[in-house]
Amino acid sequence: MVYPIVKFGDPVLEREADDVTEFDTPELHEFLEDMFQSMYAAKGVGLAAPQIGFSRKIAVIDCSNGANPAEKIVLINPKIMKIEGKQEGEEGCLSIPGFREQVRRGKRATVRAQNAKAEGFQQTGEDLLARAFLHETDHLNGRLFISHISALKRDLIKRRIRKMAKAGEW
C-alpha cells in the first residue's frame, strides 16, 4: 500500500515519535514494505513513519532508489552515536515539497538502531547516506530540515506555505 505523504503543518511532524516495542510481527513487516513503496512512489531517498502519519520511531532509507535491494536500510528506534566532519548540500523533504535549501550536516554519521527482528546494529554512512541518517532521525525527534537553516529563510518558507494553504494549494 502506498500511503500519502503528510505535509508540513501536520502536528505529527513536529513531535517526538513513540518507541517501537513490538517486533517481528506480520504487521510490522508489511508496514515496512509499505513504507518502502510509499518512499519510492514519492521519489525519496528516505522516509520516516511520521511522514505518513504514524508516530513511531521507524525510518527506511535507500540511496539507490530501488535499484539495489542490498542498499535498503530499516532503522527502528535509531540514535545517532557519532557525527564527523562537515558537508553542505541542497536538501529537501517529501513533507515540504517544492522547497530545497542548503543544509550543513555531518559528512559521516554513525547510527545505532534495531531491525524488524529487534536485533541491534550500528552502521556508519558517508555523504548522502550520512545526510539521510541525520535527516530521518531528525524526523523521529520532531525536527524538520528547515530547523537547520537561517531563521529568515525558515520564516520565508513558512510564509509561502501559509499563503499556499490559504489558496488551497497545500
Side-chain angles (χ1 to χ4, degrees):
M1 174 181 172
V2 173
Y3 287 95
I5 304 295
V6 172
K7 288 185 178 176
F8 177 75
D10 189 309
V12 74
L13 294 173
E14 297 192 66
R15 68 173 180 261
E16 185 175 352
D18 299 324
D19 286 336
V20 174
T21 56
E22 288 188 43
F23 293 86
D24 209 16
T25 64
E27 295 81 15
L28 177 61
H29 290 285
E30 184 178 336
F31 182 67
L32 292 170
E33 192 50 44
D34 289 347
M35 282 188 69
F36 276 108
Q37 293 310 314
S38 300
M39 177 185 73
Y40 295 140
K43 309 247 185 295
V45 169
L47 183 70
Q51 291 182 275
I52 53 172
F54 293 88
S55 184
R56 297 283 179 270
K57 286 190 178 167
I58 303 172
V60 296
I61 296 171
D62 183 355
C63 292
S64 80
N65 295 310
N68 182 358
E71 289 192 37
K72 289 171 74 169
I73 299 170
V74 171
L75 302 174
I76 300 178
N77 301 326
K79 292 197 182 343
I80 297 296
M81 304 308 292
K82 189 175 188 181
I83 299 172
E84 300 170 278
K86 287 188 174 28
Q87 64 170 314
E88 189 159 329
E90 194 174 72
E91 198 167 310
C93 179
L94 297 176
S95 293
I96 311 176
F99 294 92
R100 299 186 70 79
E101 288 294 333
Q102 290 293 313
V103 176
R104 182 173 289 144
R105 298 262 191 193
K107 183 158 179 61
R108 290 171 51 95
T110 301
V111 66
R112 181 182 297 152
Q114 293 168 286
N115 65 17
K117 295 182 178 183
E119 300 163 335
F121 69 93
Q122 191 164 298
Q123 185 171 349
T124 299
E126 288 191 30
D127 301 318
L128 180 58
L129 184 54
R131 185 176 293 280
F133 282 164
L134 296 167
H135 182 107
E136 300 311 327
T137 54
D138 268 0
H139 270 301
L140 302 179
N141 292 311
R143 291 186 64 174
L144 296 165
F145 88 95
I146 58 174
S147 67
H148 295 281
I149 63 176
S150 74
L152 177 64
K153 285 184 179 179
R154 186 171 45 252
D155 289 345
L156 287 170
I157 288 172
K158 288 180 177 181
R159 197 172 305 142
R160 284 178 49 202
I161 289 171
R162 278 195 296 274
K163 199 174 192 179
M164 290 167 72
K166 274 187 183 171
E169 298 166 2
W170 188 257

